[in-house]
Amino acid sequence: MLNGRHLIEPNDLSVTEIDEICSLAEQIIVDPVSFQDVCRGKILAALFFEPSTRTRLSFEAAMLRLGGAVEGFSDASSSSATKGESLADTIRVVSSYTDVLAIRSPKEGAALLASKYSSCPVINAGDGGHFHPTQTLTDLLTVRQLKGSLEGQTVGFCGDLKFGRTVHSLVQALSRYPKNKFIFISPKELQMPDYMLKNILEPLKIEYRSVERLEDAIGDVDILYMTRVQKERFFNEQDYIRLKDSYILDNEKMKLARRDMIVLHPLPRVNEIAVEVDGDTRAAYFKQAKYGMFVRMALIAKLTGSL
């Protein structure tokens, strides 16, 4: 039962619960009209202490499409935090008005702290470099929809693998499903952290390899998950200049990929996927963003006990 539970990190959900949420989201995709009143009379508090476009609007759209209402703020300057109010006090008050609370903060651990003071379910909508569990659910639903299964996939992760919370969360989640393999594509400066390899992949005997060039891996993957290579992560500009174009996905690189491969990206993108790729049928990142609304609909309905 998910009713009344908090979702702070992806591992708060069992594989069975993830599958239940994705299955409900798929039912909503097929017949959204049947779900338009399931949260009528319920309120979502969207507390965004950090700017966001997709995450905030998809949470709000999700609740509105379920027949519920939304209150909150999109910027810390709109809250009493500017007066010095503690997060604990904010959560105590707001949760007394609402049925479910989504919080985004630049401070790691903010969602966990909120869950300790909230009288309603808390959903972590991103806390610094820690977790973004609803992005992980979005990614998993997208893979289910477009590849048919969360098992037996070869997934290439490209770009900033050292600091990318979306990458770490998705690797962790996909590691719980059988026969998945990973290819990590990044410069040495931004490789997947050792703790991810040694604490998660290696104990489970999950096959993985690391490469520096996108061209050396793109032909081998079922799913390519792109992220931005950030200039500020390099110690010297020469290394960045040498490597940056290797991680720009364009039509030439797409020619090397399988015809049924899909390209994902948590968005926003900067220049790591050329606009010309948008017209390729394998470009799935805008579909992915839409699936985020459906999976959040399913999650909200489950946590509020509406379904």
Side-chain angles (χ1 to χ4, degrees):
M1 288 289 293
L2 289 168
N3 183 14
R5 295 252 301 272
H6 303 301
L7 178 57
I8 307 303
E9 59 177 280
N11 279 355
D12 288 339
L13 299 172
S14 68
V15 169
T16 299
E17 289 166 341
I18 290 172
D19 291 341
E20 286 176 2
I21 291 167
C22 288
S23 294
L24 177 57
E26 288 169 341
Q27 293 174 43
I28 296 170
I29 291 168
V30 171
D31 185 16
V33 174
S34 295
F35 297 88
Q36 64 186 6
D37 292 314
V38 300
C39 282
R40 187 160 299 282
K42 294 188 176 176
I43 299 172
L44 165 74
L47 308 186
F48 279 67
F49 293 91
E50 181 180 53
S52 169
T53 302
R54 276 149 302 280
T55 303
R56 180 175 64 85
L57 293 181
S58 67
F59 264 111
E60 294 183 3
M63 190 52 147
L64 293 171
R65 286 179 181 273
L66 291 169
V70 180
E71 64 178 23
F73 50 82
S74 59
D75 186 308
S77 65
S78 303
S79 77
S80 290
T82 59
K83 302 175 183 177
E85 182 176 53
S86 69
L87 178 63
D89 283 0
T90 298
I91 298 302
R92 282 189 178 104
V93 172
V94 173
S95 67
S96 71
Y97 304 151
T98 58
D99 301 282
V100 60
L101 190 156
I103 179 171
R104 182 170 202 150
S105 171
K107 297 180 180 178
E108 297 174 356
L112 179 60
L113 178 66
S115 72
K116 296 182 184 302
Y117 293 95
S118 177
S119 57
C120 70
V122 171
I123 303 171
N124 183 3
D127 63 331
H130 267 185
F131 302 108
H132 195 352
T134 60
Q135 180 64 53
T136 304
L137 289 172
T138 296
D139 299 340
L140 295 174
L141 175 62
T142 305
V143 172
R144 272 180 52 141
Q145 283 284 288
L146 301 183
K147 299 300 292 184
S149 175
L150 292 172
E151 302 178 8
Q153 306 292 342
T154 299
V155 187
F157 291 91
C158 180
D160 180 357
L161 309 188
K162 184 175 182 179
F163 299 99
R165 67 186 176 193
T166 58
V167 170
H168 300 169
S169 292
L170 186 55
V171 168
Q172 193 173 50
L174 287 174
S175 296
R176 301 165 76 185
Y177 291 85
K179 299 180 182 177
N180 287 323
K181 303 175 184 177
F182 303 118
I183 303 177
F184 301 124
I185 311 153
S186 71
K188 287 186 174 67
E189 294 85 348
L190 299 175
Q191 286 182 338
M192 183 67 72
D194 279 348
Y195 75 86
M196 291 289 298
L197 306 178
K198 297 187 184 309
N199 296 346
I200 296 173
L201 302 187
E202 291 175 7
L204 295 173
K205 296 181 169 53
I206 293 172
E207 184 179 330
Y208 72 88
R209 64 186 170 98
S210 299
V211 300
E212 285 196 48
R213 297 176 70 250
L214 178 54
E215 293 90 335
D216 293 340
I218 192 169
D220 299 328
V221 302
D222 301 302
I223 301 157
L224 178 62
Y225 197 95
M226 294 294 297
T227 66
R228 181 168 66 97
V229 173
Q230 301 171 77
K231 183 177 181 179
E232 59 269 26
R233 302 300 191 187
F234 286 82
F235 290 112
N236 67 74
E237 190 171 358
Q238 288 72 29
D239 284 343
Y240 171 74
I241 292 170
R242 174 174 56 86
L243 291 165
K244 66 182 178 68
D245 290 342
S246 300
Y247 305 99
I248 296 176
L249 183 65
D250 56 21
N251 282 343
E252 281 302 306
K253 293 186 180 76
M254 288 294 285
K255 290 176 183 177
L256 303 172
R258 298 171 180 172
R259 290 311 309 163
D260 62 348
M261 184 267 283
I262 61 170
V263 181
L264 302 183
H265 192 303
L267 300 177
R269 67 171 166 187
V270 182
N271 65 344
E272 61 275 8
I273 301 177
V275 174
E276 64 188 26
V277 175
D278 295 353
D280 194 300
T281 57
R282 295 167 291 182
Y285 29 90
F286 293 118
K287 289 180 183 176
Q288 179 185 1
K290 187 170 185 178
Y291 288 138
M293 177 185 69
F294 292 116
V295 85
R296 290 178 177 102
M297 289 175 72
L299 179 65
I300 289 168
K302 289 280 190 182
L303 295 184
T304 58
S306 303
L307 287 174

